[in-house]
Amino acid sequence: MIRTTEKKPLPAAALLLSALLLPTLAARTMAAPRPEGSQLFAAVSAGYFHPLSGEVRAIYDRPAWPLELQLGWRVQPRLDLYAAARFLQLEGKTILGATQESAESYSVRLQLLALRLGAGFCAGNGPISPCLGAGIQYGFFKEEWPAVPLKTNGGRAGVFAAAGVRLRLARSLHLVTLMDYSFQPGGLGSRGKQVNLGGLSLTLGVRAGIL
Amino acid sequence: MKPWKMSRRCLAPILILALVLAAQAVVGENLLLLKVSPASPRVVDAVAAAGGRVVQELNTCLLVRAKATDLPRLRGAGLACEAVGDPDGDASYFLMHSPLRAPVRGTESGLVHLRLEEDVWLLVVRDPDFRSRLVQPFRLKALWLDAALPAAARQPAPSRERALRPLQDNDIAPLVAAVSSDRLRADIQSLQDFKTRFASTAECEAAGDFLLRRFQELAGVQAYADPFVFESHYASRNIVAVIPGQTDPGQVVLACAHYDSTSNNRYVAAPGADDNASGTAAILEMTRILAGAKFDFTITLLCVSAEEWGLYGSAHYARQARAQGADIIAVVNLDMIAFPGTLKRELDVIGNYNSTWLADRFITAAAPYVGIRLDKVINSSLTWSDHSSFWDQGYPALCGIEDSINPYYHRTTDTLDKLDLGFALDATRGALAAVADLAQPLSMPAPPSGLRARSQVSFSLFLSRKTVYLDWHAAAGTIAGYHVYRATEPHGAYARLTGQPIAARAFTDFFLLPDQAYYYVVTAVDSEGRESNYSQEVRDDQDN
């Protein structure tokens, strides 16, 4: 079931997990033998985005397709550190304060660019490996009413966590599918409530070793 | 220790503490009337912040009602404070305007006079017969220490002039041409013939009846008497004539003059031809002429009584108007308009800061129709006539008065034969032109009626904008189209939203700030391009 409330235990858990795991894993990495194969990798993925906030869904009711580019460092056979840029554009229509005859609504657009730093962990080196990941992100967002023109923008820090499966296609080429959760605060919205621009994404991508 | 000893030891400090607290409570609640200077909006704010209430504004100082405990805070704010009275005592307080250095005879108790400014005195009165000890010439204003001046009386206020259409001479000229000096003369004579009109006398009541009858004779005029009591046991009446507005009757232009009189033998002979049968006759003449025309706004013509006692009639009317929320956009008070002296032939147009626009508009409207000089005077200390009662309630008000010293002022010799009726004719014409202009003569085409506004706010995540939907009824006659105007404050500076007249009787105003109130009026334009007056104003977020 999709959770539609604004409660956010998951981001806190993801942050806690990152804080606990990363130093331990980094220490183990220093001591462990260097992994075989490519140390650096690049990945690209796309998918479907579902906003968690009901208010976002009420305005931006059309399907949205996030696109993410990733550059990572394989610090251990099972552990990656990576940076990513994730772009998302939502489109919809304004909503009205109260129902009234002959009321107007206007097309609106929201663009979100999230710069991410994360760590990924894959269990096993087989052809199919379950993976977990988490990290922090900084989201730059811009909302505009193209017809007016009217726009506003801002930026806030958020967190994300992902879980999925990695399928090895070749020695340094993987197919990755992930369910990605993000919590991206947007600050105070026009109706006086805090806005969460985050949501759930189901993505499919490829990852290739480059060095 | 024995119990009774402990009780005695405890009792003394408890008693002392109780005495101290009681004394503090008494001192703390003790109210003072303070003279606070200088007078400026900053000082008014400081007074309010310190818990005081301004009861009278003068040019260089304020009279402030405050608790004794507020005094250090006022002084701490850098204000010069001087205690001049005790509002809770049994004394009455008056402002007195007198050019004399010794305006009070004798030194008996019951009357204290303190100089507040040049020519302005504070009288602290315990003797009800104090007037017999005042040296002529003097003018009195009773102070209402229980009241506080509304902010609009003391602070810069948006000019209501911006809600008015430009001067429309074509509509005003025929009205001005109808003013008759013969009628003015006859009315001054009639008022003078009452021998005295000192408020509270039977003759003054008879003069009130005369005025009421004159108003009642006019078609289209709602006339009534408005009784009031002053100084506990005296009674008198204001006489009121109302000419209802056609477009926006809630907005009122008020012209007034006091019909009571006084003199050095006030219960027997106070003809008061200049002061103020002249102003009253002007009001009668204006009522006769204005009743035959149509205006956007309501015109109230008011003959007030007990002015000479201390502005009691106008204070009664103005306080009542404020309590009822009356939207009086302007007050024109006429007091002594028939004795120009020999040299200047000048009518002073006196206003306070809040009434500057009104004085300007009066002069602009009146100047084309008069052969006398009109001189604007902005001076908050000139509180000695009925306009001041309206200042106290935050209404823009002015006083038209001759700029000369009438040697017959407040004397039994203030009679018609001393007056210059040509000057009175000009002053009446000027006042009529100004009042007609302020009330907006209804010219062709007529403004649209039934203007309604509905608003709707559209939200995105971070942005919101308001859309206002307007519609109205068709204006009478052959109309080529309509213009729509918007302002961001009531009766504010209207900006036209339509480049060309629109044929539709509806208009949508998009992408407005959601937290801002907007005010709309529409006009009709006929086939010859003539534009009507503004319609009644509507606010976007009110249920209309």
Side-chain angles (χ1 to χ4, degrees), chain B residues 94-219:
Chain B
F94 289 82
L95 278 187
M96 179 173 69
H97 293 261
S98 170
L100 305 176
R101 286 191 172 185
V104 175
R105 280 192 213 95
T107 55
E108 303 94 45
S109 60
L111 179 59
V112 176
H113 61 291
L114 303 162
R115 190 172 213 152
L116 296 174
E117 285 182 347
E118 188 178 0
D119 296 350
V120 183
W121 302 77
L122 178 71
L123 299 185
V124 185
V125 176
R126 287 186 174 80
D127 173 11
D129 194 32
F130 73 100
R131 288 177 180 81
S132 61
R133 291 171 54 195
L134 304 180
V135 182
Q136 289 283 9
F138 65 85
R139 289 168 177 264
L140 290 176
K141 176 184 180 182
L143 288 176
W144 301 79
L145 301 189
D146 60 328
L149 266 64
R154 298 173 268 113
Q155 302 275 24
S159 162
R160 296 294 293 272
E161 183 184 22
R162 293 179 298 179
L164 303 177
R165 303 278 294 145
L167 282 167
Q168 297 176 57
D169 291 343
N170 290 344
D171 301 312
I172 292 172
L175 302 174
V176 172
V179 178
S180 157
S181 64
D182 289 341
R183 286 180 179 273
L184 288 175
R185 176 191 300 277
D187 287 336
I188 293 172
Q189 183 67 58
S190 298
L191 290 165
Q192 179 181 301
D193 288 346
F194 287 101
K195 308 296 182 196
T196 179
R197 300 187 308 280
F198 188 59
S200 78
T201 62
E203 291 86 343
C204 183
E205 288 297 287
D209 290 339
F210 163 76
L211 295 170
L212 185 58
R213 275 197 309 277
R214 291 292 302 277
F215 284 155
Q216 286 170 335
E217 286 166 3
L218 298 169

Side-chain angles (χ1 to χ4, degrees), chain A residues 153-177:
Chain A
N153 51 36
R156 285 273 201 297
V159 293
F160 69 93
V165 176
R166 192 166 77 185
L167 176 68
R168 191 164 68 198
L169 301 176
R171 185 166 178 271
S172 294
L173 186 65
H174 293 84
L175 189 65
V176 183
T177 180

Side-chain angles (χ1 to χ4, degrees), chain A residues 115-184:
Chain A
L115 300 181
R116 294 178 152 187
L117 285 176
F121 177 78
C122 280
N125 280 323
I128 299 177
S129 315
C131 298
L132 286 173
I136 55 171
Q137 66 180 28
Y138 193 88
F140 298 94
F141 53 87
K142 180 173 78 172
E143 184 177 51
E144 57 187 335
W145 298 22
V148 180
L150 189 67
K151 65 179 177 184
T152 184
N153 51 36
R156 285 273 201 297
V159 293
F160 69 93
V165 176
R166 192 166 77 185
L167 176 68
R168 191 164 68 198
L169 301 176
R171 185 166 178 271
S172 294
L173 186 65
H174 293 84
L175 189 65
V176 183
T177 180
L178 289 171
M179 177 63 81
D180 178 294
Y181 165 86
S182 62
F183 172 68
Q184 176 58 62

Side-chain angles (χ1 to χ4, degrees), chain A residues 94-98 100 102-104 106 143 145 148 150 186 189-191, chain B residues 454-467 469 508 510-511:
Chain A
T94 56
I95 55 173
L96 301 169
Q100 201 165 39
S102 70
E104 306 283 330
Y106 309 101
E143 184 177 51
W145 298 22
V148 180
L150 189 67
S190 60
R191 306 178 89 175
Chain B
R454 293 169 297 124
S455 64
Q456 178 68 65
V457 179
S458 295
F459 295 93
S460 64
L461 272 186
F462 299 103
L463 298 166
S464 56
R465 284 296 182 269
K466 183 158 59 178
T467 306
Y469 305 90
T508 305
F510 295 100
F511 305 126

Side-chain angles (χ1 to χ4, degrees), chain B residues 247 296 442-443 445-449 473-476 482 522-524 532-536:
Chain B
T247 309
D296 279 344
L442 201 56
S443 53
S449 61
H473 302 326
Y482 301 93
V522 292
T523 59
S532 75
N533 289 352
Y534 294 137
S535 70
Q536 192 164 7

